[in-house]
Amino acid sequence: MHVTHTNQSSRRPTVAPMRTLKAFQEEFDLSTKFLCARMFDRHRETIRTQKRHVAVGNLVRITKTTLALSNRTGFHSMSLRDLASESGLSMGALYNYFDSKDTLLLMILGEVAAAVKETLSSPPQALEHDPLNRLRWLLETHVYLTETMQPWFVFAYMEAKAFSREGRELAVRSELATEALIAFALADGEAQSVFVVDDIDLTAAIIKPLLQDWYVKRSKYRRRGVSAEQYVRAITSFVEAALTR
Amino acid sequence: MHVTHTNQSSRRPTVAPMRTLKAFQEEFDLSTKFLCARMFDRHRETIRTQKRHVAVGNLVRITKTTLALSNRTGFHSMSLRDLASESGLSMGALYNYFDSKDTLLLMILGEVAAAVKETLSSPPQALEHDPLNRLRWLLETHVYLTETMQPWFVFAYMEAKAFSREGRELAVRSELATEALIAFALADGEAQSVFVVDDIDLTAAIIKPLLQDWYVKRSKYRRRGVSAEQYVRAITSFVEAALTR
DNA sequence: TATCAAAGATCGAGCGCTCGCTCAGTTTTT
DNA sequence: AAAAACTGAGCGAGCGCTCGATCTTTGATA
């Protein structure tokens, strides 16, 4: 199952063992419940419900339903009546958890941005001076992160621009941060003569869409039976072939 | 201005001269006026206004305003009152050109799909047995096409999924057609030992987002001062490096 | 352990508003 | 003057959001 079909050892000076999706998910708790618990902590002042377990349970239902309905036809065309009936809560109950529809959007966006920041900004110490394997780690971790939180990421990707300045800035900042991490690995690799890169920022910019395609076009890859691990291998070898000449 | 900074001649068996964006735009008329004229011809039965020049002029105003407003906050949150006042037409006049807001969406989507089909499905005869240059031609032409019709493509990309089955299918079909053209060039190149490709469909699938990023994230590249020609060179050398080993 | 009032949480009809869309009346073109 | 094209107030529907009424949970007391 984990056997790579292509022999790429010739282009891989040091091969770090590839993590599986499962291993990633055991390292980082990104369950809806956990994310909604953090959401509760972050929004105590707007959430009227006080008992933690009650609030978290309902936030899970609200979030799951919002992501499901929004990813079908967009956040804007999801009515709060739909959200109420699908989630099993009443209109009034919903407003115990947010003070406006926009706030609900920002709550979800905020957790996505936080998850990105937390997950990607702590690469293993051992990779500090190993740009090739740090790049691999970045690509792999990003794919696994977005695989685990797929509906969240699609939501953030599709809805961010349509809303308040605050929401847009949050999304842009988060995107640029990821690109900066890639660019840093490229620059590092260039300095160490591991990579050959013309324009570091431009190259980082075109690696980004390879990461985004995994969650934006998830159904395309599902239809073709491509697993997260396979996708990681595909883009990793694609990117490395382009960088090592 | 057109000088490439990297010396890549060693990886390019036959170098076809790169077209400029301007040359492309002289070859294909993709002006809003021309596209709206075709839109008029295709929708004579729903458009009540009969005089061609009057109709085309108003379709241009409607389309331009729709694309501008939709790309700001989404088609769904653009009200027809906004569209009326911004385009200078009245509510009633708008309904001389479409019978519902969804029809307006489909009219625009239809022109995008038609432009893709027409532009990409006629590569120069000379490239028929030259997969490397045909791939280059595909990448270049796609970037130039989407550069010329940028707001149209962003619209199609962002709005298609949120609407009727008809609209979604149109978008999916158009996407798959493009991917098939890429895959065909890859398969051809593999057969001729010009490319080394593991999984043709998967590789074609991950080349696609490189093309889409140009118009979806246009502002990012504008901010960085990347021209269409530069972007073509960047993704072309990136892709070729990954395919030729 | 059973009781019950206070506190916590939920309910959903109703408010004001904006939406997509229409059509009788008016203006412009032929 | 007939035909073509445009106008915009008005319709019903559905929206986000509110709030008094109601149900549920809690914990001090007997």
Side-chain angles (χ1 to χ4, degrees):
Chain A
M1 185 188 175
H2 292 145
V3 175
T4 308
H5 293 291
T6 51
N7 179 2
Q8 288 161 338
S9 56
S10 62
R11 18 181 77 262
R12 292 190 177 178
T14 54
V15 179
M18 188 177 155
R19 256 186 315 184
T20 60
L21 173 61
K22 210 160 161 260
F24 168 84
Q25 289 171 336
E26 274 157 20
E27 186 179 346
F28 295 96
D29 188 349
L30 296 169
S31 65
T32 310
K33 193 174 175 183
F34 183 80
L35 294 166
C36 287
R38 295 215 305 193
M39 195 185 278
F40 174 70
D41 297 334
R42 245 191 278 273
H43 295 87
R44 271 224 151 89
E45 66 300 351
T46 45
I47 296 174
R48 272 202 285 269
T49 300
Q50 294 174 23
K51 296 176 85 75
R52 194 182 161 84
H53 72 280
V54 177
V56 172
N58 282 334
L59 281 174
V60 167
R61 298 208 284 177
I62 292 169
T63 305
K64 276 187 173 169
T65 313
T66 301
L67 293 177
L69 293 178
S70 299
N71 290 347
R72 194 140 60 233
T73 52
F75 183 71
H76 219 95
S77 46
M78 172 195 80
S79 79
L80 289 172
R81 281 169 184 80
D82 292 344
L83 176 55
S85 67
E86 287 279 317
S87 67
L89 293 169
S90 67
M91 288 291 292
L94 290 181
Y95 277 84
N96 278 339
Y97 297 93
F98 48 79
D99 51 20
S100 76
K101 203 184 170 188
D102 266 39
T103 299
L104 172 60
L105 179 98
L106 285 174
M107 285 166 75
I108 296 176
L109 244 48
E111 290 313 311
V112 175
V116 172
K117 194 175 175 183
E118 212 164 287
T119 312
L120 290 185
S121 60
S122 61
Q125 269 273 305
L127 302 182
E128 200 178 342
H129 303 296
D130 183 355
L132 175 60
N133 280 313
R134 200 164 73 244
L135 180 63
R136 282 178 192 163
W137 182 87
L138 273 175
L139 299 183
E140 180 189 294
T141 305
H142 198 285
V143 169
Y144 289 166
L145 167 64
T146 58
E147 169 67 8
T148 310
M149 289 176 64
Q150 198 252 350
W152 299 70
F153 276 86
V154 174
F155 182 85
Y157 184 85
M158 298 302 287
E159 312 295 347
K161 70 140 195 179
F163 280 82
S164 64
R165 201 180 44 76
E166 199 182 345
R168 263 177 288 130
E169 282 175 3
L170 193 66
V172 170
R173 243 183 296 126
S174 182
E175 264 225 39
L176 288 181
T178 307
E179 244 176 74
L181 290 173
I182 298 171
F184 187 66
L186 294 182
D188 214 1
E190 244 257 310
Q192 291 188 33
S193 301
V194 180
F195 298 142
V196 179
V197 194
D198 262 7
D199 181 331
I200 287 171
D201 286 339
L202 183 52
T203 305
I206 68 179
I207 290 175
K208 192 80 208 301
L210 296 180
L211 295 173
Q212 290 184 326
D213 212 52
W214 177 248
Y215 59 91
V216 175
K217 304 280 174 57
R218 190 67 185 83
S219 67
K220 183 175 88 178
Y221 294 108
R222 195 174 290 120
R223 206 184 312 121
R224 288 181 178 163
V226 179
S227 71
E229 281 92 349
Q230 276 177 286
Y231 190 76
V232 169
R233 272 195 293 273
I235 63 167
T236 302
S237 65
F238 193 81
V239 167
E240 281 173 24
L243 296 177
T244 57
R245 300 191 180 163
Chain B
M1 185 191 178
H2 290 145
V3 175
T4 307
H5 295 291
T6 49
N7 179 4
Q8 288 161 336
S9 57
S10 63
R11 23 180 75 260
R12 292 190 178 178
T14 53
V15 179
M18 189 176 154
R19 256 188 316 184
T20 60
L21 173 61
K22 209 160 162 259
F24 168 84
Q25 289 172 336
E26 274 156 19
E27 188 179 344
F28 295 96
D29 188 348
L30 296 169
S31 64
T32 310
K33 194 174 174 181
F34 183 80
L35 293 166
C36 287
R38 295 214 304 193
M39 196 186 276
F40 174 71
D41 296 336
R42 246 190 278 272
H43 295 89
R44 271 226 151 88
E45 62 307 347
T46 45
I47 295 174
R48 272 202 285 268
T49 300
Q50 293 175 22
K51 295 176 83 74
R52 195 182 160 84
H53 72 280
V54 176
V56 171
N58 282 334
L59 281 174
V60 167
R61 298 208 285 177
I62 291 169
T63 305
K64 277 187 173 171
T65 312
T66 301
L67 293 177
L69 293 178
S70 298
N71 290 347
R72 195 140 59 230
T73 52
F75 184 71
H76 220 96
S77 45
M78 172 195 79
S79 78
L80 288 173
R81 281 169 184 81
D82 292 343
L83 176 55
S85 67
E86 286 278 317
S87 67
L89 293 168
S90 67
M91 288 291 291
L94 290 181
Y95 277 83
N96 278 338
Y97 296 93
F98 47 79
D99 51 21
S100 77
K101 203 184 170 188
D102 266 38
T103 300
L104 172 60
L105 179 98
L106 285 174
M107 284 165 75
I108 297 176
L109 244 49
E111 290 313 312
V112 175
V116 172
K117 195 174 177 185
E118 213 165 287
T119 311
L120 291 184
S121 60
S122 62
Q125 269 273 307
L127 302 180
E128 199 178 344
H129 302 298
D130 183 354
L132 176 60
N133 281 312
R134 199 164 75 244
L135 181 62
R136 284 178 190 162
W137 181 88
L138 273 175
L139 300 182
E140 179 188 293
T141 304
H142 198 284
V143 170
Y144 289 165
L145 167 63
T146 57
E147 169 68 8
T148 311
M149 288 178 63
Q150 200 252 348
W152 299 71
F153 276 86
V154 174
F155 181 85
Y157 184 85
M158 298 301 288
E159 311 296 347
K161 72 140 193 177
F163 281 82
S164 63
R165 200 181 44 76
E166 198 182 346
R168 263 177 288 130
E169 283 175 1
L170 194 64
V172 169
R173 244 184 294 124
S174 182
E175 265 225 38
L176 288 180
T178 307
E179 244 176 76
L181 289 173
I182 298 172
F184 187 65
L186 294 182
D188 213 2
E190 244 258 308
Q192 291 188 32
S193 301
V194 179
F195 298 141
V196 180
V197 194
D198 262 7
D199 182 331
I200 287 170
D201 285 339
L202 183 51
T203 305
I206 67 179
I207 290 175
K208 191 80 208 301
L210 296 179
L211 295 173
Q212 290 184 326
D213 213 51
W214 177 248
Y215 59 91
V216 175
K217 303 282 175 56
R218 191 64 186 82
S219 67
K220 183 174 88 177
Y221 295 108
R222 196 174 290 120
R223 207 184 312 123
R224 290 182 177 163
V226 180
S227 70
E229 280 93 348
Q230 276 177 286
Y231 190 77
V232 170
R233 272 196 294 273
I235 62 168
T236 302
S237 65
F238 194 81
V239 167
E240 281 173 24
L243 295 176
T244 58
R245 304 195 176 160

